[in-house]
Structure formats: C-alpha cells, structure tokens
C-alpha cells in the first residue's frame, strides 16, 4: 500500500467536512479531483472508506481505522518538514486579523503556539480588529488573512458582514470554514430580578454579538441599552459585575477561573457560528502557506474547546439550529420559540 501525503491530506479534509465539495473548497481543488483521489485511495485500501449519503459521506469501519493512522502520519510529516526547513534570515511576515469574539483568553497564544510548529520560517503577526475593519484592512493591504465569525449557512463571502453593502468587494475574498463555535447567553450570578435591559458587546457588527440585542428587542418589544467594550474580557467582566447580559463563547463561559459569577440567561438559546479564515481570492502566496495557515487556525480554535468532536461530522448539526430548542434561520431570528424555557425576565410585553 503506497498512499502519498497529498492523498492523506485530502482524505483528512473529507473526514472533517463530511463532504467532497467542502473538502475541495478548503483545499482549492476541483470536486472531480477530490473524488478521483478518494476512489484511488479506496482501490489501494481494498474496500470503501466512505459511505455515500444524500447529504454527504461518513466513514466506514475501514475509514475510521485509516483516519486514526492518517492523523499520526500527517503529524510526523509536518514535524519532518519543520525540522528540514531552515529559518530564513528575513522570514516572510504573515499578518492575520482576528475579530474580538475569537480573541479571548488564551486564544491568541494558541494561534501563536500552533503557528510556530506549522508555519516554521514565517513571522506570524496577529491583529485584533472589529468585523467592519476587516474589509478595509484587506483593501489597504495591511492584513493577509482574517479569522472571523460567519453564519452557518452563508455560502458567499458577501454575507460575512450582514446589513452592510460591499458590492464588488465580495469577489475579492474567499472563505475557508474551520469549525463552528458555540456561544452562550450569560448574565451576572447576582443580577436582580427584572428584564435584561443592558447588553455588553465586544464587536457590534459581529454576528455573535449582534444576535442577542436583536433577540431581546423582539422578545421584549423594546431595544436594550448596548455597551461596546471592545474585548471579550471586557464583556465578561461587565456581565460579572451585573452590567446586563452578554453572548460569550462557551469555552470562555465555562472557564470557572475566568468566568466566576456568571450564570446562563434562561429563556435565551445558545447559538453556533462558523469560525472562518478569510483570504484574498487572488492571493499569490505559496499553497503551503495557505494550507498550514488554515490548519494552524483550525487547531487553535479546536484547542480552545470551541469545535465539534472528531467523530461528529458537521452535517450532524443543521445550519441555523438552536441548541436549546426553537429554530433561528441562518443566525437571524426566524421561526417561533415554542421550544424555549421561557423566563419572565425576557418574556414579551402584553
């Protein structure tokens, strides 16, 4: 059996996405190329590694065995490439913008730590910037990529920043979806009874931060007061101190050392958004930089406790699905809320 690293990388992407189409999009290949590689792989293995389904694919027993070994082999290949790559006298600089909702706690340190291993010979520079600043930074040429949040069913980069018109700018960018991130509505443990009339946000144009004020506005028939604090640390501290409520990444909300004094906001669902890498569509950088950058950010998000388990394909969570009941379509308030556990503090007015 002679399986090359390129085929194993393609196989890994298919297992992560549960789709030949999505794997091709992440890798920059055509779908026919991915299909041909996987058929050749199954001929080498001697049996199917994927079960074809109407909504995608899932691993067979042989595929699960191959996945575990492929992960080990690709890790060793990455270590070998790092060991053989000599540091450049003037390493190329790769500047990545990160929206505040994904730049919490140790997240920036995780990106740097993983990047040192996968982006050897590259100077990785991180810049925390608001969602609306990302397009301007691309136009000005001050960033090479950006880690942002997008709605689960957005198929076009033009939808990254809803409620804003960017016209022909949408053709300049491409989105590589990494993993979905769960957010939890929280408030201070000692909050007095009464409706949550104040919301703390880190980035008012980020879908994860824009959603809660809109949800409360529709439930309570009046807009809440919004406090823009610029960072998730500031948002968490504001909620802890009793200054209203907030939407926090579940990893941050569940960290008892950092998030003491918080409790879930009852009657408001948890939500998920995509953590996505945005790149220039006509980027001329070597493909290895793009692949290693994608893997760096994917691993950093996973280490933050924000991603799905390896044994769950993305197709198992439907786009726009609310985790605590009810349905919200595509990250924007849509269907009813009959499945929610109502809380008088957020009940609609008479």
């Amino acid at each position: 059996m002679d399986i090359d690293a390129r085929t194993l990388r393609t196989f890994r992407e298919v297992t992560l996405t549960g789709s030949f189409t999505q794997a091709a999009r992440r890798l920059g290949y055509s779908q026919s190329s991915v299909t041909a590689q996987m058929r050749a792989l199954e001929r080498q293995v001697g049996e199917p590694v994927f079960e074809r389904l109407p909504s995608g694919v899932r691993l067979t027993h042989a595929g699960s065995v191959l996945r575990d070994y492929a992960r080990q082999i690709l890790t060793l290949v990455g270590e070998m490439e790092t060991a053989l790559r000599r540091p450049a006298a003037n390493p190329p600089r790769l500047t990545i913008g990160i929206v505040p909702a994904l730049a919490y706690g140790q997240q920036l340190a995780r990106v740097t730590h993983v990047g040192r291993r996968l982006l050897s010979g590259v100077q990785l520079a991180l810049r925390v910037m608001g969602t609306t600043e990302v397009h301007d930074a691309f136009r000005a040429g001050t960033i090479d990529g950006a880690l942002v949040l997008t709605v689960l069913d957005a198929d076009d980069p033009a939808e990254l920043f809803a409620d804003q018109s960017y016209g022909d700018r949408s053709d300049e960018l491409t989105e590589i979806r990494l993993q979905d991130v769960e957010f939890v509505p929280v408030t201070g443990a000692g909050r007095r009874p009464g409706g949550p009339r104040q919301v703390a946000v880190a980035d008012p144009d980020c879908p994860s931060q824009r959603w809660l004020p809109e949800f409360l506005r529709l439930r309570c028939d009046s807009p809440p007061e919004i406090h823009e604090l610029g960072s998730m640390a500031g948002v968490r501290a504001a909620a802890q101190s009793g200054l209203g409520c907030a939407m926090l990444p579940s990893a941050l909300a569940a960290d008892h050392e950092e998030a003491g004094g918080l409790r879930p906001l009852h009657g408001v669902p948890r939500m998920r958004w995509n953590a996505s890498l945005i790149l220039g569509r006509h980027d001329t950088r070597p493909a290895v930089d793009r692949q290693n950058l994608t893997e760096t950010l994917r691993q950093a998000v996973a280490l933050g406790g924000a991603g799905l388990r390896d044994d769950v394909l993305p197709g198992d969570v439907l786009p726009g699905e609310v985790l605590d009941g009810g349905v919200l379509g595509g990250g924007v308030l849509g269907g009813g809320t009959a499945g929610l556990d109502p809380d008088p503090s957020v009940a609609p007015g008479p």
Side-chain angles (χ1 to χ4, degrees):
M1 190 179 299
D2 185 17
I3 305 174
D4 59 44
R6 177 174 177 267
T7 299
L8 288 179
R9 288 193 177 101
T10 302
F11 170 74
R12 178 181 61 187
E13 290 300 326
V14 176
T15 64
L16 288 171
T17 62
S19 164
F20 286 3
T21 302
Q22 292 297 325
R25 180 184 298 177
R26 286 186 175 184
L27 293 169
Y29 299 157
S30 66
Q31 182 177 346
S32 60
S33 174
V34 170
T35 301
Q37 288 185 58
M38 295 301 96
R39 285 177 177 170
L41 175 63
E42 289 182 322
R43 286 196 297 269
Q44 288 183 295
V45 172
E47 60 180 295
V49 296
F50 293 112
E51 179 182 353
R52 274 65 172 178
L53 303 172
S55 59
V57 297
R58 66 183 177 193
L59 292 171
T60 62
H61 174 70
S64 297
V65 173
L66 180 61
R67 177 194 59 189
D68 295 337
Y69 281 103
R71 183 184 297 119
Q72 298 177 52
I73 291 170
L74 291 175
T75 297
L76 287 173
V77 170
E79 292 175 357
M80 177 186 68
E81 291 174 343
T82 299
L84 293 175
R85 194 179 298 132
R86 295 181 180 180
N90 295 303
R93 185 185 184 90
L94 195 61
T95 303
I96 304 300
I98 302 182
V99 294
L102 292 171
Y104 58 87
Q106 299 298 315
Q107 191 67 24
L108 296 177
R110 293 186 187 102
V111 174
T112 301
H113 177 77
V114 178
R116 287 183 62 189
R117 177 168 58 85
L118 296 181
L119 293 167
S120 178
V122 175
Q123 182 181 355
L124 184 61
L126 306 179
R127 299 285 183 270
V128 179
M129 58 180 58
T131 299
T132 56
E133 297 177 77
V134 170
H135 263 302
D136 292 334
F138 272 114
R139 294 184 69 188
T142 57
I143 61 173
D144 301 297
L147 180 61
V148 303
L149 284 170
T150 66
V151 294
L152 286 175
D153 61 351
D155 293 323
D156 191 320
E159 299 179 43
L160 299 181
F161 313 102
D163 302 328
Q164 306 222 17
S165 176
Y166 287 91
D168 59 352
R169 294 196 214 177
S170 62
D171 293 333
E172 300 174 2
L173 304 177
T174 184
E175 175 188 359
I176 301 174
R177 298 179 184 179
L178 305 175
Q179 285 185 259
D180 63 302
V181 182
E182 182 186 70
F183 279 73
V184 182
V186 298
T187 188
R191 182 176 66 87
R192 296 178 180 178
R197 300 302 182 186
Q198 301 180 84
V199 182
V201 301
D203 176 7
D205 298 298
C206 177
S208 73
Q209 302 298 285
R210 198 174 55 231
W211 184 86
L212 182 57
E214 179 66 7
F215 179 89
L216 295 177
R217 182 186 71 81
L218 295 176
R219 287 292 297 272
C220 304
D221 292 332
S222 63
E225 181 181 356
I226 298 176
H227 301 282
E228 297 181 24
L229 300 170
S231 72
M232 296 310 292
V235 168
R236 184 190 65 234
Q240 288 173 323
S241 67
L243 187 62
C245 55
M247 207 73 172
L248 294 180
S250 60
L252 187 60
D255 189 327
H256 298 296
E257 293 183 2
E258 292 191 344
L262 292 176
R263 64 180 178 82
L265 186 60
H266 296 296
V268 182
R270 300 183 179 205
M271 290 291 291
R272 289 185 183 272
W273 285 272
N274 287 313
S276 296
L277 169 62
I278 307 303
L279 294 169
R281 194 177 297 275
H282 305 295
D283 193 353
T284 59
R285 291 181 176 274
V288 65
D289 281 356
R290 178 175 178 146
Q291 291 178 3
N292 287 343
L293 175 61
T294 300
E295 189 60 25
T296 292
L297 296 178
R298 180 181 292 123
Q299 289 189 24
V301 172
L303 286 171
L308 295 173
R309 302 189 313 272
D310 284 344
D311 59 338
V312 178
L313 294 178
D316 293 336
V317 179
L318 297 177
E321 182 180 7
V322 173
L323 304 184
D324 289 347
V327 175
L328 300 179
V332 179
L333 190 60
T337 55
L340 301 181
D341 178 18
D343 183 337
S345 67
V346 292

